[in-house]
Amino acid sequence: MLDGAAHETVAESAEELLTWRGLGLETMASLLVVSLRREGDRSFHGRCQWPRAHPLNERTFTVQHHPLIAVETTRQLAAAIQRRHLLAGEAPVYGAVSVGLGLSRGGQPTESGSATDVTGRVILSDLVTRAGSPVSFCVTAEYLHAGLPFA
């Protein structure tokens, strides 16, 4: 939820903003990652919004976001990195082979408004290439809400 006192205003360039079609999603409602910015050779910053009415969340006034939303956000961040920084042209995006998720106790954000602003710090590692093209890689994401890590 946007909170004037707690929300940082971040000006994003058009190159950083993502679209649901650009990530290969079927609907705009599926988009969890709003923007992706490269911060180093293999580090990225993602700005995400997790809707309270996401299908995985319970139907209560105040929800604690389902942990699988973090998994889907990581998949979307990996797709964005592939499309923007690794793959040439319209090459198909790789699918996830395995996923690991760790949560801190009581750290998951709760939401009673429309959406929760979440920051993702992403590291690209284990990049394997053949003939100059990537064939596999790992993505590690840490999620923060109000500046505190929770997943």
Side-chain angles (χ1 to χ4, degrees):
M1 181 166 145
L2 297 180
D3 179 333
H7 181 68
E8 291 180 32
T9 303
V10 179
E12 293 152 326
S13 69
E15 297 83 37
E16 294 172 349
L17 296 175
L18 301 172
T19 66
W20 58 279
R21 286 190 177 116
L23 288 179
L25 301 172
E26 292 185 18
T27 66
M28 185 179 356
S30 303
L31 185 66
L32 299 171
V33 180
V34 176
S35 67
L36 179 72
R37 180 178 69 241
R38 187 173 214 144
E39 293 194 328
D41 184 40
R42 293 191 180 191
S43 62
F44 301 86
H45 175 273
R47 191 170 68 83
C48 312
Q49 284 193 335
W50 292 359
R52 178 176 61 87
H54 191 281
L56 289 172
N57 289 336
E58 293 183 25
R59 299 290 173 244
T60 58
F61 183 71
T62 301
V63 300
Q64 185 173 29
H65 292 288
H66 195 284
L68 287 178
I69 295 174
V71 173
E72 173 58 15
T73 303
T74 304
R75 191 196 68 74
Q76 289 184 21
L77 286 164
I81 290 168
Q82 289 176 74
R83 290 189 188 274
R84 297 266 173 105
H85 302 285
L86 295 179
L87 301 176
E90 295 297 317
V93 172
Y94 304 136
V97 175
S98 66
V99 175
L101 177 66
L103 301 171
S104 61
R105 185 176 185 97
Q108 288 177 268
T110 57
E111 184 59 59
S112 58
S114 59
T116 302
D117 288 328
V118 175
T119 299
R121 290 190 275 201
V122 186
I123 301 295
L124 176 68
S125 63
D126 301 332
L127 179 62
V128 177
T129 60
R130 286 198 187 108
S133 296
V135 293
S136 68
F137 62 93
C138 290
V139 168
T140 303
E142 177 183 48
Y143 294 102
L144 297 95
H145 175 65
L148 300 173
F150 66 91

